[in-house]
Each structure stands twice: as structure tokens, then as C-alpha cells.
């Protein structure tokens, strides 16, 4: 699914025009990004949680040459699915 697909779906489910629906989708993602930048978790009930994690510095290795190199510590975003989404996906597989 693409951003354009999301805009189309918002247009179908509401009375918004394409430009308004596009702004809605843009604002939604902008709010999520700003919350994560501020260090907050983003919780979407029924979907999942976007969580910030700090990874420690470590030594990496090129698997081809076996050469070692340092990997700096960094902050990453993890996603944990909700139980509702997990069961919906499991039901589709069966």
C-alpha cells in the first residue's frame, strides 16, 4: 500500500477532496514523526506500537572479508504489533 492508496481510501471513507485527504495523511505521519523525534512512543490501538530503542556501540564484521569495523551507538524505531493485528494476520494464513 502506498501513500497514494491511503489518500484514495481516506477520500472514499470521507467527504474530503484529494488535496484535503492528502493533507490529512501528511499531517498524520508528521505527527508520528514529531512524537518519535521527541522521544515518545506512538501507540495505535488495534495496530501496534512504534517504540524507540537505543542500541549500544558494537563491533561489526564484513562477512566476505572478515574485516572488523566499529558500529556507533544509535537510536532506532521498533514496531510491535498488537494482539488484534497478530490474530488477524494469523487468521488470513490459515
Amino acid at each position: 500500500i502506498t501513500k497514494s492508496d491511503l489518500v484514495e481510501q481516506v477520500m472514499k471513507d470521507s467527504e474530503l477532496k484529494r488535496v484535503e485527504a492528502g493533507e490529512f495523511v501528511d499531517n498524520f505521519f508528521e505527527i508520528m514523526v514529531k512524537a518519535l523525534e521527541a522521544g515518545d512512543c506512538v501507540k495505535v490501538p488495534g495496530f501496534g506500537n512504534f517504540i524507540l530503542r537505543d542500541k549500544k556501540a558494537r563491533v561489526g564484521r564484513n562477512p566476505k572479508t572478515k574485516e572488523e569495523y566499529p558500529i556507533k551507538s544509535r537510536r532506532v524505531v521498533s514496531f510491535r504489533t498488537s494482539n488484534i493485528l497478530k490474530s488477524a494476520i494469523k487468521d488470513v494464513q490459515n
Side-chain angles (χ1 to χ4, degrees), residues 6-81:
L6 291 172
V7 171
E8 289 290 329
Q9 194 62 47
V10 169
M11 285 173 48
K12 277 186 198 177
D13 294 346
S14 68
E15 295 179 8
L16 297 176
K17 295 178 182 165
R18 178 175 296 282
V19 173
E20 295 167 329
E23 289 174 358
F24 177 83
V25 171
D26 286 341
N27 289 338
F28 175 78
F29 287 116
E30 186 176 324
I31 290 167
M32 288 180 62
V33 168
K34 284 183 180 180
L36 291 168
E37 284 177 342
D40 299 329
C41 293
V42 176
K43 298 180 181 191
V44 183
F47 185 68
N49 300 327
F50 294 89
I51 302 164
L52 290 172
R53 289 187 5 198
D54 291 321
K55 287 191 158 189
K56 295 179 182 178
R58 61 187 174 92
V59 176
R61 187 174 296 115
N62 181 332
K64 191 171 186 178
T65 64
K66 308 294 186 212
E67 180 182 347
E68 292 185 350
Y69 58 93
I71 298 175
K72 296 179 182 178
S73 61
R74 62 195 189 279
R75 181 170 273 182
V76 296
V77 177
S78 296
F79 177 73
R80 291 197 182 144
T81 58

Side-chain angles (χ1 to χ4, degrees), residues 89-94:
I89 292 170
K90 187 183 276 188
D91 291 343
V92 172
Q93 290 178 348
N94 294 333

